[in-house]
Amino acid sequence: MDVPVSEVLKSLRERAPWPVGRRIFADIGITRGQGWNNTLNKIAENPRKSEEKIDELLDALKSHQICGEKLVSFYEFDAATLGPMREKLAGLEPQDTVFSRRYPSTLSQDELKAAPAGLVLTSVETQEGGLAVVFSSARVTTVRERIDVESLDAEMTSVFDDYEEVIGVKTIRFHAFDVIWIPIEGETLDVRIDFPEGTLSEVAIAARKMVIAELVRLTGAVVPEPINMFPLIDRMYSDGSEGTVVELGFGTTTASLKHEKMRRRKLDLRNETYHKGGKAALDTPIEPFKLSIRWHRVIGKKLASEPELGLNSNSRAAGSSKPVLDRVVIRRCMGSDDYDHVRSRIAHHLGR
């Protein structure tokens, strides 16, 4: 299918955060500006370069639909069950819908109003490492945008005279891509739910339930409970060689709860002076319940990606006798290599 480069770029903008988008353009060799608007304006002035790179752009978009900005749960099956499941899913053929015709492009809000309801099988992708079964649906998220006060009429402008900045919050409909991914090797299946910034966890969990229901319907398999990710929090935090900790929530024996974020790039919260000093003053180790960890992956002479893993539990769960976390958040992936790296570090610390 021939896809206009303008449609691919529009879809990439809707899908990829700018820190990811600019790295994709740098890797492909397309000139970029400061932010999405300036970059797309530059490309519009001289579109030939992007048109010559349409195959690479399409691959980047498809990879992001499958791997980018996901809430992920992992399910372990024995090989005797997973093999037949893979065969059944590989044999699926998506029906002819606007989703399948436009894939991997995204649909606009207006187009989504006329699209089929519910979870719609959109594509079955055979990849080097496994099989990706892609579903589309319309979903909602909340976005925050800066309001240009000067563009308002005089009466409205006077209302905001005392404000330095005005932020608007709105709910939008977006084209979600959820994925069932089965590896060629191994016995762990991924359910990857679209989770752009602003999406409520409750919405993503409801979507996960729908995907699992489809998996059962399509394969007849009995799906186990997701693998418990909670042990990863302490294990990955305690391994000083594992990535860079950029956010941490923890409890202490003094009954206090702490939430720390590292504002400066490439600096690790584990080694931050205040954090180390506070830990040293305690009689017992801290009890982490929330962790965001980022990796710096060199992919070129002057280019590196920074995929990020979020393990988001809470103090109540951490204080229980058997704390459970049935999902993780994987963000900032340029493509499957980044996602696979994060996945491999999860497997390493879980001993799988």
Side-chain angles (χ1 to χ4, degrees), residues 277-293:
K279 282 177 59 180
L282 296 172
D283 294 329
T284 58
I286 64 172
E287 299 173 349
F289 55 79
K290 180 182 177 69
L291 177 73
S292 291
I293 188 165

Side-chain angles (χ1 to χ4, degrees), residues 40 46 87 206-207 295 297 299 308 318 351:
L40 296 184
N46 183 19
E87 290 181 9
W295 289 266
R297 302 187 65 243
I299 56 177
E308 184 174 308

Side-chain angles (χ1 to χ4, degrees), residues 74 226-237 249-251 286-291 310-328 346 349-350:
F74 301 96
I227 297 172
N228 185 12
M229 298 286 117
F230 194 90
L232 280 177
I233 300 175
D234 186 63
R235 293 175 191 175
M236 297 186 94
Y237 168 76
F250 61 94
I286 64 172
E287 299 173 349
F289 55 79
K290 180 182 177 69
L291 177 73
L311 297 158
N312 305 316
S313 186
N314 54 58
S315 59
R316 180 180 299 177
S320 66
S321 58
K322 293 182 179 180
V324 173
L325 178 63
D326 65 1
R327 58 196 180 269
V328 303
I346 291 173
H349 285 280
L350 288 177

